Amino acid sequence: MPTPARIHVAHALHEVFGEGGRVPDVWDRGLGEDATLAQALLGLCLRRWGRLQAWVKPNLKDSARGIPLGTRVALAMGLAQLAWLPGVSDHAAVNESVELAGDRELGFVPHKGLVNAILRRAAKDRVALAAALDALPPALDRAPAVERALQAALAPHGAEGELEVLWQKLQQPPRPAFRQLMGPLPEGLVDDPDLAGCLRLEEGASFPRTWLESGSGMVQDRSSQALLAYEWDQPVTRILDACAAPGGKTTALAIRHSEADITALEVHPRRAARLRQTLRQRALKVRVIQADAAEWLEAHEGTFDLILLDAPCSGSGTLQKHPEWPWIAHDELPRLTDLQHRLLAAAAERLAPGGLLIYAVCSWLPEEGLAHSEWLATARPDLRPAEVWPAAMLAASEAAVGATAFFRPHPLRWEGEGFQAFAVMAGPR
Ligand SMILES: C[S@@+](CC[C@H](N)C(=O)[O-])C[C@H]1O[C@@H](n2cnc3c(N)ncnc32)[C@H](O)[C@@H]1O
């Protein structure tokens, strides 16, 4: 029987390559100390899936025949451990993968012998295996959707020629960023020198799991923190967070505008319930309403001084954190861009005179960000760009620009998820 860590990894790989879905947020729950191995192994399999499959093909007798997913998963996991996880013994890497191949749900029983033979051969020279895999073209690990996302990230900065550099950067697991909510800071967390309020883990410090579990802090990507560092000194009494779960940005808004009346919308009932619970645990006074934001806004009479529309999107900017992104289904883009448009149009109608609307997506694709800002500029010329983000914070080379109304960090110079956001303000009160 394979260890729970390997079973969890195999399930996650089946979800991605069998169902075209994302790795569930809590995929490694309950693994305890084994979570570190599982995370490393899953990351390697996802980031190097194309090369692992390309290595396997010529090692099969009949490489033209389709290989069942169960076999591919067992081989990829075994090879990844042999090549890149020197702490895993030959015995564990091979035998556990053979066991997986023999599992009726996760493997492909008739290929148990084949998996055994291939992995035993590979285990004879692990250094040569790693060298052979590393020598295969990195482009094998990029599905077509990735090439488009990377080009979209680089083009606005005139850096189209740096695709391989960006791809390499995105292969490193991201360094987490944190925000303090209450109480003292644990050891190992230090201020980010370039972003006020953002906390980073010192080199070698252990992950502050207990601090996070106690509710004293939260993980929040550096780009999200920079987005929420908008400079705005107008009075803010009514805030709408239109797409709020899981609530990281709602939390930051509630702390920053502690006197404001905040409404948070979320369409999915389970996510809305979790959001309500999270905000309650953090002792934040926010009205959570489970509703489609566009419908709710269309039916709602009131206006808001600050609207954050952190819209559902393809998540192309989260490639570094979600190495499964290249391999999941990407047929949802037209539905998402329609939804973003509908949400933006409805939100713009509810902006109070003198109010600020921030639209954001964690995506580099222009149709999810830039195109919406261009549409809004034409459809609502009364809403003016609001230069609320210091340009120097986003890219040193743009320091001369002063402030910007379009938040689009440079993907090579900026550490954090890929984002596009824009801010507009309504005419005076
Ligand atoms: C990008 S996430 C928001 C992340 C959140 N702002 C945070 O920082 O934690 C988008 C959220 O919008 C929700 N959503 C999707 N369609 C929606 C709709 N029509 N109305 C309201 N919420 C929606 C999704 O379920 C998801 O939770």
Side-chain angles (χ1 to χ4, degrees):
M1 176 87 170
T3 57
R6 289 174 177 88
I7 291 177
H8 277 62
V9 172
H11 272 293
L13 292 173
H14 274 272
E15 179 60 35
V16 174
F17 297 105
E19 308 297 327
R22 283 180 177 274
V23 174
D25 284 345
V26 290
W27 73 276
D28 54 356
R29 181 176 282 170
L31 286 180
E33 289 190 352
D34 282 354
T36 309
L37 168 70
Q39 284 158 4
L41 182 53
L42 181 63
L44 287 166
C45 289
L46 291 170
R47 291 196 164 88
R48 302 181 193 185
W49 183 257
R51 276 187 271 181
L52 287 162
Q53 301 309 317
W55 185 94
V56 166
K57 257 195 163 181
N59 283 281
L60 297 172
K61 268 202 204 110
D62 184 358
S63 60
R65 280 188 33 203
I67 317 166
L69 183 58
T71 310
R72 290 194 283 144
V73 164
L75 281 171
M77 286 176 58
L79 291 168
Q81 290 169 81
L82 290 171
W84 300 300
L85 293 178
V88 177
S89 69
D90 295 4
H91 177 81
V94 175
N95 288 19
E96 297 244 353
S97 306
V98 173
E99 290 285 310
L100 260 181
D103 184 286
R104 285 186 196 289
E105 187 194 349
L106 296 169
F108 183 64
V109 181
H111 280 176
K112 201 173 161 183
L114 176 79
V115 169
N116 186 30
I118 291 180
L119 292 182
R120 259 178 219 297
R121 220 179 311 132
K124 287 195 176 132
D125 191 344
R126 292 175 69 162
V127 174
L129 171 69
L133 281 162
D134 289 339
L136 289 168
L140 287 169
D141 298 325
R142 300 200 289 261
V146 176
E147 300 283 332
R148 243 203 98 218
L150 299 187
Q151 287 298 353
L154 293 163
H157 306 276
E160 293 90 330
E162 310 263 18
L163 193 140
E164 293 301 336
V165 183
L166 177 55
W167 179 245
Q168 283 316 314
K169 179 184 175 220
L170 297 174
Q171 297 318 296
Q172 311 308 317
R175 200 178 144 209
F178 306 87
R179 192 188 273 272
Q180 183 176 21
L181 298 177
M182 63 184 88
L185 273 187
E187 275 197 19
L189 284 187
V190 290
D191 288 328
D192 183 310
D194 301 318
L195 188 55
C198 180
L199 298 166
R200 311 305 302 269
L201 207 52
E202 271 182 318
E203 194 81 14
S206 50
F207 193 78
R209 208 170 293 281
T210 318
W211 180 68
L212 292 170
E213 283 168 4
S214 73
S216 303
M218 66 179 185
V219 174
Q220 187 166 51
D221 182 79
R222 206 167 169 265
S223 298
S224 293
Q225 296 199 39
L227 174 87
L228 290 162
Y230 51 84
E231 289 176 359
W232 186 248
D233 57 10
Q234 297 301 306
V236 172
T237 52
R238 287 152 304 161
I239 299 180
L240 177 73
D241 186 354
C243 293
K249 296 191 189 67
T250 324
T251 299
L253 286 172
I255 292 172
R256 175 165 171 176
H257 302 280
S258 56
E259 301 299 316
D261 178 86
I262 306 181
T263 303
L265 306 177
E266 168 57 48
V267 74
H268 290 295
R270 285 235 311 269
R271 290 173 70 79
R274 283 281 307 277
L275 171 66
R276 206 169 278 127
Q277 191 188 5
T278 303
L279 296 171
R280 202 180 304 126
Q281 280 165 353
R282 291 177 181 164
L284 298 171
K285 256 184 68 198
V286 175
R287 187 180 308 106
V288 175
I289 299 174
Q290 187 253 312
D292 174 296
E295 285 174 11
W296 188 88
L297 281 160
E298 280 154 16
H300 188 83
E301 292 288 306
T303 57
F304 298 91
D305 307 310
L306 174 59
I307 300 180
L308 173 65
L309 173 51
D310 189 21
C313 71
S314 67
S316 68
T318 65
L319 247 170
Q320 190 172 10
K321 187 164 103 198
H322 292 290
E324 75 272 27
W325 193 86
W327 310 108
I328 61 177
H330 291 290
D331 49 8
E332 285 241 294
L333 197 55
R335 183 190 70 79
L336 285 169
T337 52
D338 277 0
L339 175 59
Q340 291 156 359
H341 177 84
R342 207 161 57 84
L343 291 165
L344 179 60
E349 289 296 318
R350 292 284 164 251
L351 196 56
L356 177 71
L357 165 64
I358 295 178
Y359 170 95
V361 278
C362 52
S363 171
W364 285 305
L365 302 180
E367 57 268 50
E368 297 192 85
L370 183 65
H372 293 312
S373 90
E374 288 171 350
W375 169 78
L376 193 65
T378 312
R380 293 291 307 269
D382 54 314
L383 301 179
R384 288 171 296 122
E387 293 173 347
V388 294
W389 295 290
M393 182 175 77
L394 304 177
S397 65
E398 289 167 23
V401 177
T404 178
F406 201 95
F407 177 98
R408 185 166 48 190
H410 193 300
L412 289 171
R413 298 193 197 116
W414 176 260
E415 209 192 322
E417 286 177 352
F419 252 90
Q420 283 177 94
F422 55 87
V424 292
M425 56 187 168
R429 290 162 201 272

